[in-house]
Amino acid sequence: MQPGIWQILIIAALALLLFGGRGKISSLMGDTARGIRAFRDGLKDGEGDKAQDERPGALPRTDAEKEDLRS
């Protein structure tokens, strides 16, 4: 069963509407892709590389560390 001319035209119109031209939907999809890319880059550069003690606001775990903070 081959797709008819109307089915091909409908698919082409939908693809043009979503991805082509200067329409609002195509710019919205581009913005979404940029947001996803920025999120992934943020995960790669995340603070997972830092040791727990180097994080800002990390609480001291021992009495010696507490004394160092007081002095």
Side-chain angles (χ1 to χ4, degrees):
M1 185 170 174
Q2 297 179 0
I5 187 72
W6 289 110
Q7 293 169 339
I8 293 173
L9 288 176
I10 290 172
I11 292 172
L14 286 175
L16 182 64
L17 180 67
L18 291 176
F19 300 110
R22 295 182 181 252
K24 292 180 183 178
I25 294 177
S26 64
S27 66
L28 178 67
M29 303 220 12
D31 291 341
T32 303
R34 274 187 244 123
I36 291 171
R37 191 174 305 120
F39 178 75
R40 287 182 182 168
D41 290 343
L43 287 178
K44 289 179 186 175
D45 296 337
E47 294 184 21
D49 299 345
K50 289 186 176 182
Q52 236 178 357
D53 296 334
E54 294 177 7
R55 290 182 297 151
L59 298 175
R61 292 180 280 171
T62 63
D63 291 332
E65 289 177 351
K66 290 177 187 177
E67 290 297 323
D68 288 340
L69 289 175
R70 289 184 191 151
S71 55

